[in-house]
Coordinates of all heavy atoms in Angstrom, one line a residue:
C15 N 33.5 171.6 -53.4 CA 34.7 172.4 -52.8 C 34.3 173.8 -53.0 O 33.8 174.2 -53.9 CB 36.0 172.0 -53.5 SG 36.5 170.3 -53.4
Q16 N 34.9 174.5 -52.1 CA 34.8 176.0 -52.2 C 36.1 176.5 -52.7 O 37.2 175.9 -52.4 CB 34.5 176.7 -50.8 CG 33.1 176.4 -50.3 CD 32.1 177.0 -51.1 OE1 32.1 178.1 -51.6 NE2 31.1 176.2 -51.3
V17 N 36.1 177.4 -53.6 CA 37.4 178.0 -54.2 C 38.4 178.5 -53.2 O 39.6 178.6 -53.5 CB 37.1 178.9 -55.4 CG1 36.6 180.2 -54.8 CG2 38.3 179.0 -56.3
D18 N 37.9 179.0 -52.1 CA 38.8 179.6 -51.2 C 39.5 178.6 -50.1 O 40.2 179.1 -49.3 CB 38.1 180.7 -50.3 CG 36.9 180.2 -49.6 OD1 36.5 179.0 -49.8 OD2 36.3 180.9 -48.8
T19 N 39.3 177.3 -50.3 CA 39.9 176.4 -49.5 C 41.4 176.2 -49.8 O 41.7 176.3 -51.1 CB 39.2 175.0 -49.4 OG1 39.4 174.4 -50.7 CG2 37.8 175.1 -49.0
L20 N 42.3 176.0 -48.9 CA 43.7 175.8 -49.2 C 44.0 174.7 -50.1 O 44.8 174.8 -51.0 CB 44.5 175.7 -47.8 CG 44.5 176.9 -47.0 CD1 45.2 176.6 -45.6 CD2 45.2 178.1 -47.7
L21 N 43.2 173.6 -49.9 CA 43.4 172.4 -50.8 C 43.2 172.7 -52.2 O 43.9 172.5 -53.1 CB 42.6 171.2 -50.3 CG 42.8 170.0 -51.1 CD1 44.2 169.5 -51.2 CD2 41.9 168.9 -50.6
V22 N 42.0 173.3 -52.5 CA 41.6 173.7 -53.8 C 42.6 174.7 -54.5 O 43.1 174.5 -55.6 CB 40.2 174.3 -53.9 CG1 39.9 174.9 -55.3 CG2 39.1 173.2 -53.5
Q23 N 43.0 175.7 -53.7 CA 44.0 176.6 -54.2 C 45.3 176.0 -54.5 O 45.9 176.2 -55.5 CB 44.3 177.8 -53.1 CG 43.1 178.6 -52.9 CD 43.3 179.6 -51.8 OE1 44.3 179.7 -51.2 NE2 42.2 180.4 -51.5
A24 N 45.8 175.0 -53.7 CA 47.1 174.4 -53.9 C 46.9 173.5 -55.1 O 48.0 173.4 -56.0 CB 47.5 173.5 -52.7
L25 N 45.9 172.7 -55.3 CA 45.7 171.9 -56.4 C 45.7 172.6 -57.7 O 46.2 172.3 -58.7 CB 44.4 171.0 -56.3 CG 44.4 169.9 -55.3 CD1 43.1 169.3 -55.0 CD2 45.4 168.8 -55.7
L26 N 45.0 173.7 -57.7 CA 44.9 174.5 -58.9 C 46.2 175.2 -59.2 O 46.6 175.4 -60.5 CB 43.7 175.5 -58.8 CG 42.4 175.0 -58.9 CD1 41.3 176.0 -58.6 CD2 42.1 174.3 -60.1
A27 N 46.9 175.6 -58.2 CA 48.2 176.3 -58.4 C 49.3 175.3 -59.0 O 50.0 175.7 -60.0 CB 48.7 176.8 -57.1
K28 N 49.3 174.1 -58.5 CA 50.2 173.1 -59.1 C 49.7 172.4 -60.3 O 50.6 171.9 -61.1 CB 50.5 171.9 -58.0 CG 51.4 172.4 -56.9 CD 51.7 171.2 -56.0 CE 53.1 171.5 -55.3 NZ 53.9 170.3 -55.2
Q29 N 48.5 172.3 -60.5 CA 47.8 171.6 -61.6 C 48.2 170.2 -61.8 O 48.0 169.6 -62.8 CB 48.1 172.4 -62.9 CG 47.7 173.8 -63.0 CD 47.9 174.5 -64.2 OE1 48.8 174.2 -65.0 NE2 47.1 175.5 -64.6
R30 N 48.8 169.6 -60.7 CA 49.1 168.2 -60.7 C 48.9 167.7 -59.2 O 49.0 168.5 -58.3 CB 50.5 168.0 -61.1 CG 50.8 168.4 -62.5 CD 51.9 167.7 -63.2 NE 51.9 166.3 -63.2 CZ 51.1 165.5 -64.0 NH1 50.3 166.1 -64.8 NH2 51.2 164.3 -64.0
C31 N 48.7 166.4 -59.1 CA 48.6 165.7 -57.8 C 48.8 164.2 -58.1 O 48.8 163.8 -59.2 CB 47.3 166.0 -57.1 SG 45.9 165.1 -57.8
A32 N 48.8 163.5 -57.0 CA 48.9 162.0 -57.1 C 47.9 161.5 -56.2 O 47.8 161.9 -55.1 CB 50.3 161.5 -56.8
L33 N 47.0 160.7 -56.7 CA 46.0 160.0 -55.9 C 46.5 158.7 -55.5 O 47.0 157.9 -56.3 CB 44.7 159.8 -56.7 CG 44.1 161.1 -57.4 CD1 42.9 160.7 -58.3 CD2 43.7 162.0 -56.4
G34 N 46.4 158.4 -54.2 CA 46.9 157.1 -53.6 C 45.8 156.5 -52.9 O 45.1 157.2 -52.1
F35 N 45.6 155.2 -53.1 CA 44.5 154.5 -52.3 C 44.8 153.0 -52.2 O 45.6 152.5 -53.1 CB 43.1 154.7 -52.9 CG 42.9 154.4 -54.4 CD1 42.4 153.2 -54.7 CD2 43.3 155.3 -55.3 CE1 42.2 152.9 -56.0 CE2 43.1 155.0 -56.7 CZ 42.6 153.8 -57.0
D36 N 44.2 152.4 -51.3 CA 44.3 150.9 -51.1 C 43.0 150.3 -51.3 O 41.9 150.8 -50.8 CB 44.8 150.6 -49.7 CG 46.2 151.2 -49.4 OD1 47.1 151.0 -50.3 OD2 46.4 151.8 -48.4
A37 N 43.0 149.1 -52.0 CA 41.7 148.4 -52.1 C 42.0 146.9 -52.4 O 42.9 146.6 -53.2 CB 40.9 149.0 -53.3
H38 N 41.4 146.0 -51.7 CA 41.5 144.6 -51.9 C 43.0 144.1 -51.9 O 43.4 143.5 -52.8 CB 40.8 144.2 -53.2 CG 39.4 144.7 -53.3 ND1 38.4 144.2 -52.5 CD2 38.8 145.6 -54.0 CE1 37.3 144.7 -52.8 NE2 37.5 145.7 -53.7
N39 N 43.7 144.5 -50.9 CA 45.2 144.1 -50.7 C 46.1 144.6 -51.8 O 47.0 144.0 -52.1 CB 45.3 142.6 -50.6 CG 44.5 142.1 -49.3 OD1 44.6 142.7 -48.3 ND2 43.9 140.9 -49.5
Q40 N 45.6 145.7 -52.4 CA 46.5 146.3 -53.5 C 46.6 147.8 -53.2 O 45.5 148.4 -52.8 CB 45.9 146.0 -54.8 CG 46.9 146.3 -56.0 CD 46.4 145.5 -57.2 OE1 45.2 145.3 -57.4 NE2 47.3 145.2 -58.1
T41 N 47.7 148.4 -53.4 CA 47.9 149.8 -53.3 C 48.1 150.4 -54.7 O 48.8 149.9 -55.6 CB 49.2 150.1 -52.5 OG1 49.1 149.5 -51.2 CG2 49.5 151.6 -52.4
Y42 N 47.5 151.6 -54.9 CA 47.5 152.3 -56.2 C 48.0 153.6 -56.1 O 47.8 154.4 -55.1 CB 46.1 152.3 -56.8 CG 45.4 151.0 -57.0 CD1 44.6 150.4 -56.1 CD2 45.6 150.3 -58.2 CE1 44.0 149.2 -56.3 CE2 45.0 149.2 -58.5 CZ 44.2 148.6 -57.5 OH 43.6 147.4 -57.7
Y43 N 48.8 154.1 -57.1 CA 49.4 155.4 -57.2 C 49.1 155.9 -58.6 O 49.4 155.3 -59.5 CB 50.9 155.3 -56.9 CG 51.6 156.6 -57.3 CD1 51.7 157.7 -56.3 CD2 52.2 156.8 -58.5 CE1 52.3 158.9 -56.6 CE2 52.9 158.0 -58.8 CZ 52.9 159.0 -57.9 OH 53.5 160.2 -58.2
L44 N 48.3 157.0 -58.6 CA 47.8 157.6 -59.9 C 48.1 159.0 -60.1 O 47.4 159.9 -59.5 CB 46.3 157.2 -60.0 CG 45.6 157.5 -61.3 CD1 46.2 156.8 -62.5 CD2 44.2 157.2 -61.2
P45 N 49.2 159.4 -60.7 CA 49.5 160.9 -60.9 C 48.4 161.4 -61.9 O 48.0 160.8 -62.9 CB 50.8 160.8 -61.5 CG 51.2 159.5 -62.0 CD 50.2 158.5 -61.3
C46 N 48.0 162.6 -61.6 CA 46.9 163.3 -62.4 C 47.3 164.8 -62.7 O 47.9 165.4 -61.8 CB 45.6 163.2 -61.7 SG 45.0 161.6 -61.4
S47 N 46.7 165.2 -63.7 CA 46.7 166.7 -63.9 C 45.4 167.2 -63.3 O 44.4 166.5 -63.3 CB 46.9 167.2 -65.4 OG 45.7 166.6 -66.2
V48 N 45.3 168.4 -62.9 CA 44.2 168.9 -62.2 C 43.7 170.2 -62.9 O 44.5 171.1 -63.3 CB 44.4 169.2 -60.7 CG1 43.2 169.8 -60.1 CG2 44.9 168.1 -60.0
R49 N 42.4 170.4 -63.1 CA 41.8 171.6 -63.6 C 40.5 171.9 -63.0 O 39.9 171.0 -62.4 CB 41.7 171.5 -65.2 CG 40.6 170.6 -65.6 CD 40.4 170.6 -67.1 NE 39.3 169.7 -67.4 CZ 38.1 170.1 -67.7 NH1 37.7 171.4 -67.5 NH2 37.2 169.2 -68.1
M50 N 40.2 173.2 -63.1 CA 38.8 173.6 -62.6 C 37.9 173.4 -63.8 O 38.2 173.7 -64.9 CB 38.8 175.1 -62.2 CG 37.5 175.4 -61.6 SD 37.3 177.2 -61.0 CE 38.9 177.6 -60.4
V51 N 36.8 172.7 -63.5 CA 35.8 172.4 -64.5 C 34.8 173.6 -64.6 O 34.3 174.0 -63.5 CB 35.0 171.1 -64.2 CG1 33.9 170.9 -65.2 CG2 35.9 170.0 -64.1
A52 N 34.7 174.2 -65.7 CA 33.7 175.3 -65.9 C 32.3 174.9 -65.7 O 31.8 173.8 -66.0 CB 33.9 176.0 -67.3
E53 N 31.5 175.8 -65.1 CA 30.1 175.6 -64.8 C 29.3 175.2 -66.0 O 28.3 174.5 -66.0 CB 29.6 176.8 -64.1 CG 28.2 176.5 -63.4 CD 27.7 177.7 -62.5 OE1 28.5 178.5 -62.0 OE2 26.5 177.7 -62.4
E54 N 29.7 175.7 -67.2 CA 29.0 175.5 -68.4 C 29.2 174.0 -69.0 O 28.5 173.6 -69.8 CB 29.4 176.5 -69.5 CG 29.1 177.9 -69.2 CD 30.1 178.5 -68.2 OE1 31.3 178.1 -68.2 OE2 29.8 179.4 -67.4
E55 N 30.2 173.4 -68.5 CA 30.6 172.1 -69.0 C 29.6 171.0 -68.5 O 29.2 171.1 -67.3 CB 32.0 171.7 -68.5 CG 33.0 172.4 -69.2 CD 34.5 171.9 -68.9 OE1 34.7 170.7 -69.1 OE2 35.2 172.7 -68.3
I56 N 29.3 170.0 -69.3 CA 28.4 168.9 -68.9 C 29.0 168.2 -67.7 O 28.2 167.8 -66.8 CB 28.1 168.0 -70.1 CG1 26.9 167.0 -69.6 CG2 29.3 167.2 -70.4 CD1 25.6 167.7 -69.6
L57 N 30.3 168.0 -67.6 CA 30.9 167.4 -66.5 C 30.6 168.1 -65.1 O 30.3 167.4 -64.2 CB 32.5 167.3 -66.6 CG 33.3 166.6 -65.5 CD1 32.8 165.2 -65.3 CD2 34.7 166.7 -65.8
Y58 N 30.6 169.4 -65.1 CA 30.2 170.2 -64.0 C 28.8 169.9 -63.6 O 28.5 169.5 -62.4 CB 30.5 171.7 -64.2 CG 30.1 172.5 -63.0 CD1 31.1 173.0 -62.2 CD2 28.8 172.8 -62.7 CE1 30.8 173.8 -61.0 CE2 28.5 173.6 -61.6 CZ 29.5 174.0 -60.7 OH 29.1 174.8 -59.7
Q59 N 27.9 170.0 -64.5 CA 26.5 169.8 -64.2 C 26.3 168.3 -63.7 O 25.5 168.2 -62.7 CB 25.7 170.0 -65.4 CG 25.7 171.5 -65.9 CD 25.2 172.4 -64.9 OE1 24.3 172.2 -64.2 NE2 25.9 173.6 -64.7
L60 N 26.8 167.4 -64.3 CA 26.7 166.0 -63.9 C 27.1 165.8 -62.5 O 26.5 165.2 -61.6 CB 27.3 165.0 -64.9 CG 26.8 164.9 -66.2 CD1 27.7 164.1 -67.2 CD2 25.4 164.2 -66.2
T61 N 28.4 166.3 -62.2 CA 28.9 166.2 -60.9 C 28.1 166.9 -59.8 O 27.8 166.4 -58.7 CB 30.4 166.7 -60.9 OG1 31.1 166.0 -61.9 CG2 31.0 166.6 -59.6
Y62 N 27.7 168.2 -60.1 CA 27.0 169.0 -59.2 C 25.6 168.3 -58.8 O 25.3 168.0 -57.7 CB 26.7 170.4 -59.7 CG 25.9 171.2 -58.8 CD1 26.5 171.9 -57.7 CD2 24.5 171.3 -58.9 CE1 25.7 172.6 -56.8 CE2 23.7 172.0 -58.1 CZ 24.4 172.7 -57.1 OH 23.6 173.4 -56.1
W63 N 24.9 167.9 -59.9 CA 23.5 167.3 -59.6 C 23.6 165.9 -59.0 O 22.7 165.5 -58.2 CB 22.7 167.4 -60.8 CG 22.3 168.8 -61.2 CD1 22.8 169.6 -62.2 CD2 21.5 169.7 -60.4 NE1 22.3 170.9 -62.1 CE2 21.5 171.0 -61.0 CE3 20.7 169.5 -59.2 CZ2 20.7 172.0 -60.5 CZ3 20.0 170.6 -58.8 CH2 20.0 171.9 -59.4
H64 N 24.6 165.1 -59.3 CA 24.8 163.9 -58.7 C 25.0 164.0 -57.2 O 24.4 163.3 -56.4 CB 25.9 163.1 -59.3 CG 26.4 161.9 -58.6 ND1 25.7 160.7 -58.7 CD2 27.3 161.7 -57.6 CE1 26.3 159.8 -57.9 NE2 27.3 160.4 -57.2
N65 N 25.9 164.9 -56.9 CA 26.2 165.2 -55.4 C 25.1 165.8 -54.7 O 24.8 165.6 -53.5 CB 27.5 166.0 -55.3 CG 28.7 165.1 -55.6 OD1 29.0 164.2 -54.9 ND2 29.3 165.3 -56.7
R66 N 24.3 166.6 -55.4 CA 23.1 167.3 -54.8 C 22.1 166.3 -54.4 O 21.4 166.5 -53.4 CB 22.6 168.3 -55.7 CG 21.5 169.1 -55.1 CD 21.7 170.6 -55.3 NE 20.5 171.2 -54.8 CZ 20.4 172.2 -53.9 NH1 21.6 172.7 -53.5 NH2 19.3 172.7 -53.6
L67 N 22.0 165.2 -55.1 CA 21.1 164.2 -54.7 C 21.3 163.6 -53.3 O 20.4 163.3 -52.6 CB 21.1 163.0 -55.7 CG 20.5 163.2 -57.1 CD1 20.9 162.0 -58.0 CD2 19.1 163.4 -57.0
F68 N 22.6 163.6 -52.9 CA 22.9 163.1 -51.6 C 23.2 164.1 -50.6 O 23.3 163.8 -49.4 CB 24.2 162.1 -51.8 CG 24.0 161.1 -52.8 CD1 24.5 161.2 -54.1 CD2 23.3 159.9 -52.4 CE1 24.2 160.1 -55.0 CE2 23.1 158.9 -53.3 CZ 23.6 158.9 -54.6
N69 N 23.3 165.4 -51.0 CA 23.5 166.4 -50.0 C 22.8 167.7 -50.6 O 23.3 168.4 -51.3 CB 25.0 166.7 -49.9 CG 25.3 167.8 -48.9 OD1 24.4 168.4 -48.3 ND2 26.6 168.1 -48.7
S70 N 21.6 167.9 -50.1 CA 20.8 169.0 -50.5 C 21.3 170.4 -50.0 O 20.9 171.4 -50.4 CB 19.3 168.8 -50.1 OG 19.2 168.7 -48.7
N71 N 22.3 170.3 -49.1 CA 22.9 171.6 -48.6 C 24.0 172.1 -49.4 O 24.7 173.0 -48.9 CB 23.3 171.4 -47.1 CG 22.1 171.1 -46.3 OD1 21.0 171.7 -46.5 ND2 22.2 170.1 -45.3
I72 N 24.4 171.5 -50.5 CA 25.5 172.0 -51.3 C 25.2 173.4 -51.8 O 24.2 173.5 -52.4 CB 25.8 171.0 -52.5 CG1 26.4 169.7 -52.0 CG2 26.8 171.6 -53.5 CD1 26.7 168.7 -53.1
P73 N 26.1 174.3 -51.5 CA 25.8 175.7 -52.1 C 25.9 175.7 -53.6 O 26.5 174.8 -54.2 CB 26.9 176.5 -51.4 CG 28.0 175.5 -51.1 CD 27.3 174.2 -50.8
A74 N 25.3 176.7 -54.2 CA 25.3 176.8 -55.6 C 26.7 177.2 -56.1 O 27.0 176.9 -57.3 CB 24.3 177.8 -56.1
S75 N 27.5 177.8 -55.3 CA 28.8 178.3 -55.8 C 30.0 177.3 -55.4 O 30.8 177.8 -54.6 CB 29.1 179.7 -55.2 OG 29.1 179.6 -53.7
I76 N 29.9 176.1 -55.8 CA 31.0 175.3 -55.6 C 32.0 175.2 -56.7 O 31.7 175.5 -57.9 CB 30.5 173.8 -55.3 CG1 29.8 173.2 -56.5 CG2 29.6 173.8 -54.1 CD1 29.7 171.7 -56.4
V77 N 33.1 174.6 -56.5 CA 34.1 174.4 -57.6 C 34.2 172.9 -57.7 O 34.3 172.1 -56.9 CB 35.5 174.9 -57.1 CG1 36.6 174.4 -58.1 CG2 35.5 176.4 -56.9
V78 N 34.1 172.5 -59.0 CA 34.4 171.0 -59.4 C 35.7 170.9 -60.1 O 36.0 171.7 -61.0 CB 33.2 170.6 -60.4 CG1 33.6 169.3 -60.9 CG2 31.9 170.7 -59.7
L79 N 36.5 170.1 -59.5 CA 37.8 169.8 -60.1 C 37.8 168.6 -61.0 O 37.2 167.6 -60.7 CB 38.9 169.7 -58.9 CG 39.0 170.8 -58.0 CD1 40.0 170.5 -56.9 CD2 39.5 172.1 -58.7
G80 N 38.5 168.7 -62.1 CA 38.7 167.6 -63.0 C 40.1 166.9 -62.8 O 41.1 167.8 -62.7
F81 N 40.2 165.6 -62.8 CA 41.5 164.9 -62.6 C 41.6 164.1 -63.8 O 40.8 163.2 -64.1 CB 41.4 164.1 -61.4 CG 41.3 164.8 -60.1 CD1 40.1 165.2 -59.6 CD2 42.5 165.3 -59.4 CE1 40.0 166.1 -58.4 CE2 42.4 166.0 -58.2 CZ 41.1 166.4 -57.8
Q82 N 42.7 164.3 -64.6 CA 43.1 163.5 -65.8 C 44.3 162.6 -65.4 O 45.4 163.1 -65.3 CB 43.5 164.5 -67.0 CG 43.9 163.7 -68.2 CD 42.7 162.8 -68.7 OE1 41.6 163.3 -68.9 NE2 43.0 161.5 -69.0
P83 N 44.0 161.3 -65.3 CA 45.2 160.4 -64.9 C 46.2 160.3 -66.0 O 46.0 160.4 -67.2 CB 44.5 159.0 -64.8 CG 43.0 159.4 -64.7 CD 42.7 160.6 -65.4
D84 N 47.5 160.2 -65.6 CA 48.5 159.9 -66.5 C 48.8 158.4 -66.3 O 49.6 157.9 -65.5 CB 49.8 160.6 -66.0 CG 51.0 160.5 -66.9 OD1 51.0 159.6 -67.7 OD2 51.9 161.2 -66.8
W85 N 48.1 157.6 -67.1 CA 48.1 156.1 -67.0 C 49.5 155.5 -67.2 O 49.8 154.5 -66.7 CB 47.1 155.6 -68.0 CG 45.8 155.9 -67.7 CD1 44.9 156.7 -68.3 CD2 45.0 155.4 -66.5 NE1 43.7 156.8 -67.7 CE2 43.7 156.1 -66.5 CE3 45.3 154.7 -65.4 CZ2 42.7 155.8 -65.6 CZ3 44.3 154.4 -64.5 CH2 43.0 155.0 -64.5
A86 N 50.4 156.2 -68.0 CA 51.7 155.7 -68.3 C 52.5 155.6 -67.0 O 53.5 154.9 -66.9 CB 52.4 156.5 -69.3
K87 N 52.2 156.5 -66.0 CA 53.0 156.6 -64.8 C 52.3 156.0 -63.6 O 52.7 156.0 -62.5 CB 53.3 158.1 -64.5 CG 54.3 158.7 -65.5 CD 54.5 160.1 -65.3 CE 55.5 160.7 -66.3 NZ 55.8 162.1 -66.1
A88 N 51.1 155.5 -63.8 CA 50.3 154.8 -62.8 C 51.0 153.6 -62.3 O 51.7 152.9 -63.1 CB 48.9 154.5 -63.3
K89 N 50.9 153.4 -61.0 CA 51.6 152.1 -60.4 C 50.6 151.4 -59.5 O 49.6 152.0 -58.9 CB 52.7 152.5 -59.6 CG 53.8 153.2 -60.4 CD 55.0 153.6 -59.5 CE 56.0 154.3 -60.3 NZ 57.0 154.8 -59.5
A90 N 50.7 150.1 -59.3 CA 49.9 149.3 -58.5 C 50.9 148.3 -57.8 O 51.9 147.8 -58.4 CB 48.9 148.5 -59.2
D91 N 50.7 148.1 -56.5 CA 51.5 147.1 -55.8 C 50.6 146.2 -55.0 O 49.9 146.7 -54.1 CB 52.4 147.9 -54.8 CG 53.4 147.0 -54.0 OD1 53.8 146.0 -54.6 OD2 53.8 147.4 -52.9
P92 N 50.6 144.9 -55.2 CA 51.4 144.2 -56.3 C 50.8 144.7 -57.7 O 49.6 145.0 -57.8 CB 51.2 142.8 -56.0 CG 49.9 142.7 -55.2 CD 49.8 144.0 -54.5
P93 N 51.7 144.4 -58.7 CA 51.2 144.8 -60.0 C 50.0 143.9 -60.4 O 50.0 142.8 -60.0 CB 52.4 144.5 -60.9 CG 53.6 144.5 -60.0 CD 53.1 144.0 -58.7
P94 N 49.1 144.5 -61.2 CA 47.9 143.7 -61.6 C 48.4 142.5 -62.6 O 49.5 142.5 -63.2 CB 47.1 144.6 -62.4 CG 47.9 145.8 -62.8 CD 49.0 145.8 -61.8
L95 N 47.6 141.4 -62.5 CA 48.0 140.3 -63.4 C 47.7 140.6 -64.8 O 46.8 141.4 -65.2 CB 47.1 139.1 -63.0 CG 47.2 138.6 -61.6 CD1 46.1 137.5 -61.2 CD2 48.6 138.1 -61.3
A96 N 48.5 140.1 -65.7 CA 48.4 140.4 -67.1 C 47.1 139.6 -67.6 O 46.8 138.5 -67.2 CB 49.7 139.9 -67.9
V97 N 46.5 140.2 -68.6 CA 45.3 139.6 -69.1 C 45.6 139.0 -70.4 O 46.3 139.3 -71.2 CB 44.2 140.7 -69.4 CG1 42.9 140.1 -69.8 CG2 44.0 141.5 -68.1

């Protein structure tokens, strides 16, 4: 992502979001905190170079966002089976 995109600016300003997705006849809702990952962090380097393998046109000045799930507030519909 580029830091000047509206989505990146909004995510960093709120520092929270909810990820929603569907997979295998199940819907998931996962609230997360959001932060900018510093270029010096290993997470940034791993993310950058992993993505660069698949897109050699990624500019050097990208923003990597970190999402920390709030598992206590996560939901699935239908609920997962108990183990």
Side-chain angles (χ1 to χ4, degrees):
C15 299
Q16 295 293 319
V17 74
D18 59 349
T19 66
L20 291 177
L21 178 58
V22 170
Q23 290 174 3
L25 287 168
L26 291 174
K28 284 192 155 210
Q29 297 182 333
R30 298 208 53 79
C31 73
L33 305 177
F35 57 96
D36 298 313
H38 308 289
N39 298 320
Q40 195 161 28
T41 301
Y42 298 92
Y43 170 82
L44 187 58
C46 298
S47 60
V48 181
R49 70 178 182 94
M50 187 180 323
V51 178
E53 194 172 336
E54 300 78 29
E55 290 183 60
I56 190 70
L57 179 60
Y58 180 100
Q59 295 300 319
L60 291 170
T61 303
Y62 178 84
W63 291 107
H64 168 83
N65 285 290
R66 182 129 173 130
L67 287 171
F68 301 100
N69 181 359
S70 60
N71 294 321
I72 290 178
S75 60
I76 65 162
V77 172
V78 174
L79 299 179
F81 297 85
Q82 178 63 47
D84 183 347
W85 293 111
K87 295 181 181 173
K89 297 178 184 173
D91 183 31
L95 299 174
V97 184

